[in-house]
Amino acid sequence: GFAQTDHQGTNKAKTWKQDQPATLSQPMQQPELRATLAAGVKAGGSHCKLAIVDEMSAYLTEELDGDAVYLDLRKDADEIIPDALRERVKKMSNPVVRVARAIYGLKPSLFSYEAGRDRRFVEIGMKPVRGTKAIFKYVASGGEVCFVGVFIDDSLIVGHSTAITELIAKMQSKRK
């Protein structure tokens, strides 16, 4: 499956799931992967296609939701300060800034990204599959169907080739 396990088989994703708001999709686990593949192959029939989509720089475009997050540039962010700003930051008397956009490694970034991704999925016509938090269904304009299994910023899309082509075009135009 997609969930990382240690040598004793303990799921390391447990703490992440406990902290995650209930309204967001969760990382796709092995049962969801099997369900996505089975439903997609059935929907695609002889025109079945599989596509894997990785959203480039996914977190970096999302606005942070919820409580304000502050970053102390003196000690926390030396590697993320652009060279052009290093001197300016050194001259600041109190180099603490509010983080407005999501950044990798910051837990609220994941939640903000997933909320935005799920909202975009629904806006382009995808519907969450009842009983799951990681699978979406898409019905193309001609009635063709595909299923999307999500794992943070990666999507596994299985189904009718026409539906997949239409869906990927919509996903790309919505993210611009």
Side-chain angles (χ1 to χ4, degrees), residues 24-96:
L24 300 179
S25 59
Q26 295 176 353
M28 184 168 52
Q29 302 292 315
Q30 195 169 17
E32 287 92 356
L33 174 61
R34 281 196 290 263
T36 303
L37 289 170
V41 167
K42 185 175 180 180
S46 63
H47 298 282
C48 188
K49 182 178 176 182
L50 173 107
I52 297 173
V53 177
D54 179 17
E55 193 168 347
M56 304 285 287
S57 303
Y59 287 44
L60 304 178
T61 57
E62 290 300 333
E63 297 281 336
L64 279 179
D65 295 330
D67 295 335
V69 176
Y70 293 90
L71 187 62
D72 186 339
L73 298 178
R74 291 175 292 222
K75 57 184 175 187
D76 296 336
D78 205 35
E79 67 276 357
I80 66 168
I81 300 171
D83 291 337
L85 296 177
R86 284 189 197 281
E87 283 305 313
R88 198 164 145 196
V89 169
K90 285 180 186 176
K91 292 177 184 176
M92 293 172 74
S93 61
N94 187 19
V96 176

Side-chain angles (χ1 to χ4, degrees), residues 16-17 19-27 65 107-119 132-134 136 150:
W16 182 85
K17 282 184 176 179
D19 294 337
Q20 182 182 17
T23 57
L24 300 179
S25 59
Q26 295 176 353
D65 295 330
K107 191 182 288 188
S109 296
L110 176 64
F111 303 146
S112 293
Y113 166 72
E114 289 202 341
R117 182 208 57 218
D118 291 356
R119 187 176 53 255
T132 73
K133 291 225 174 220
F136 291 81
V150 295

Side-chain angles (χ1 to χ4, degrees), residues 129-147:
V129 172
R130 191 174 29 157
T132 73
K133 291 225 174 220
I135 304 173
F136 291 81
K137 180 180 180 182
Y138 178 75
V139 180
S141 55
E144 302 87 358
V145 176
C146 65
F147 290 86

Side-chain angles (χ1 to χ4, degrees), residues 2 7 48 52 57 113 119 154-155 164 172 174:
F2 285 95
H7 65 281
C48 188
I52 297 173
S57 303
Y113 166 72
R119 187 176 53 255
D154 298 315
S155 298
I164 292 174
Q172 290 172 336
K174 190 67 177 174

